[in-house]
Amino acid sequence: MNKNNTLHWNGNTLEMLDQRALPSRIAYIAYDSAASVADGIQRMVVRGAPAIGCAAAYGVALEALRLRHLPRDAFLAGLAQAIAILAASRPTAVNLFWALERMRAALGTLHASPVAQIADALLAEARAITAEDVRLNRAMGTHGATLLCDGMRVLTHCNAGALATAGHGTALGVIRSAVEAGKRIHIYADETRPFLQGARLTAWELMQDNIPVTLIADNAAGLLMRQGEIDAVIVGADRVAANGDVANKIGTYSVAVLARRHGLPFYVAAPLSTIDANTASGDAIPIEERAAAEVTGYGDTRWAPAGVAVRNPVFDVTPAELVTALITERGVVFAPDFEKIRLLLAN
Ligand code: MRU
């Protein structure tokens, strides 16, 4: 197994790095069915849009392997149910639905094949989706690195790194590629309340790679920008609408507004699988709301008074007009809008 891979196929089970335990503990949990993978996605064992997509693809493959002894009709009905269960695990990251669609399409071409052959082919497709994700992240990194200059201080929000993907990362992939190209980049990582993906995951991931990182409270970003201590912002995305609006971790919109106020570039790194041409604008992107307990405390620790009313929307939408450029595996799209995104997808 590579160093701290998000996902690892282990012969007949999927092992997922338990991201809830990081950075205190590196622990893998084994999954052997679609329902268990859906549960792992819902509980944030695995998180980050591309990683969720890869996990869901493996979830379909696991179910196919589990049901391969059944007659064809029961096997196909079981797979349809598995896809539905996985699709219900989280609503915002479109990579989940994109990956399930790829698995459904692979299944469609195999309907007439023996059940065992279908199961093998679905596993091959899940592996292909995962391997492809790393290749696309590297391509995005190469394109995005051209936007970063030696010595830049870059703010990121949430975790859009190797942990959020099958490897290398989207936003952090761009950073990694810039560093590999010899540029000295200093990262400011927003802690990213309420689930602390920045403090727990981004800080840890960058420290593992010896990339200089300074952790800040989310509310410190404005001050640092005002003091001239940040040169650019780069984030990932969970869904990009057809008009270029970007859904990403809650707090991203505030950072984008601050970046505009201070004349800083605001970059979004996302593969084409994160672009949802069927969603016209950010207004139509479903925003997940999670449990109040994520806001009132973390793990076993509570800091808010018992019974307090809580809202916990975990994503927000940054309007396209605040996005300086969208970095994809096909290149960089400055000031993304409906027409530029249509052309990008058509190429
Ligand atoms: O709730 P999460 O941790 O799944 O949210 C993750 C994010 O918002 C990431 O920024 C996004 O998925 C981009 S990941 C390359």
Side-chain angles (χ1 to χ4, degrees):
M1 191 185 316
N2 285 342
K3 189 181 73 169
N4 306 326
N5 268 2
T6 310
L7 305 171
H8 174 66
W9 180 253
N10 197 12
N12 48 13
T13 56
L14 174 68
E15 297 190 347
M16 304 206 288
L17 178 59
D18 186 354
Q19 299 196 27
R20 300 165 307 178
L22 289 173
S24 323
R25 229 164 16 92
I26 296 175
Y28 281 82
I29 302 177
Y31 293 84
D32 63 1
S33 68
S36 63
V37 172
D39 188 64
I41 294 172
Q42 209 287 323
R43 291 175 191 270
M44 310 279 283
V45 171
V46 64
R47 32 66 50 199
I52 290 172
C54 296
Y58 274 119
V60 176
L62 279 170
E63 199 65 12
L65 294 170
R66 210 172 69 84
L67 303 181
R68 69 196 300 166
H69 63 279
L70 293 180
R72 172 184 307 277
D73 284 355
F75 173 80
L76 292 175
L79 285 189
Q81 198 188 353
I83 290 173
I85 290 170
L86 286 159
S89 58
R90 291 192 74 187
T92 306
V94 77
N95 304 61
L96 169 68
F97 308 100
W98 171 88
L100 291 175
E101 211 34 63
R102 267 213 28 191
M103 297 303 280
R104 208 196 310 268
L107 183 60
T109 64
L110 293 160
H111 256 262
S113 310
V115 161
Q117 205 175 311
I118 298 179
D120 290 343
L122 288 177
L123 176 58
E125 186 68 358
R127 296 184 104 133
I129 287 172
T130 305
E132 199 177 289
D133 186 55
V134 182
R135 282 200 302 277
L136 300 182
N137 290 338
R138 288 217 158 259
M140 236 183 296
T142 304
H143 293 302
T146 61
L147 301 168
L148 302 181
C149 306
D150 185 34
M152 264 193 171
R153 298 151 304 170
V154 179
L155 176 72
T156 191
H157 191 74
C158 194
N159 172 267
L163 289 167
T165 63
H168 199 63
T170 57
L172 295 191
V174 170
I175 304 292
R176 280 199 170 90
S177 295
V179 170
E180 281 169 16
K183 295 175 188 172
R184 288 161 302 165
I185 308 288
H186 191 106
I187 301 301
Y188 282 93
D190 273 348
E191 65 174 343
T192 318
R193 284 278 295 135
F195 209 65
L196 301 170
Q197 288 93 332
R200 296 187 303 102
L201 308 178
T202 296
W204 180 76
E205 198 185 309
L206 292 174
M207 287 173 76
Q208 298 263 309
D209 277 2
N210 292 317
I211 296 176
V213 55
T214 301
L215 178 65
I216 60 170
D218 296 330
N219 351 25
L223 177 85
L224 293 190
M225 287 185 189
R226 192 150 189 269
Q227 291 182 171
E229 294 183 51
I230 289 171
D231 302 304
V233 178
I234 181 161
V235 297
D238 289 84
R239 194 185 294 226
V240 178
N243 69 345
D245 290 351
V246 172
N248 192 48
K249 181 52 53 192
I250 191 78
T252 302
Y253 173 48
S254 317
V255 174
V257 171
L258 280 171
R260 177 57 55 92
R261 170 74 177 86
H262 294 91
L264 301 175
F266 178 85
Y267 299 122
V268 176
L272 298 191
S273 54
T274 303
I275 301 178
D276 180 4
N278 297 321
T279 296
S281 78
D283 294 344
I285 297 177
I287 300 294
E288 178 181 13
E289 295 231 9
R290 292 184 63 87
E294 290 183 358
V295 177
T296 55
Y298 188 82
D300 294 333
T301 310
R302 298 290 107 204
W303 47 70
V308 66
V310 172
R311 283 289 306 276
N312 186 19
V314 299
F315 296 99
D316 60 26
V317 173
T318 298
E321 66 185 78
L322 296 179
V323 177
T324 308
L326 180 63
I327 303 161
T328 76
E329 67 270 30
R330 287 208 185 135
V332 177
V333 179
F334 286 93
D337 61 14
F338 180 84
E339 189 52 21
K340 288 180 193 168
I341 286 184
R342 192 187 66 75
L343 285 172
L344 176 75
L345 296 176
N347 274 333

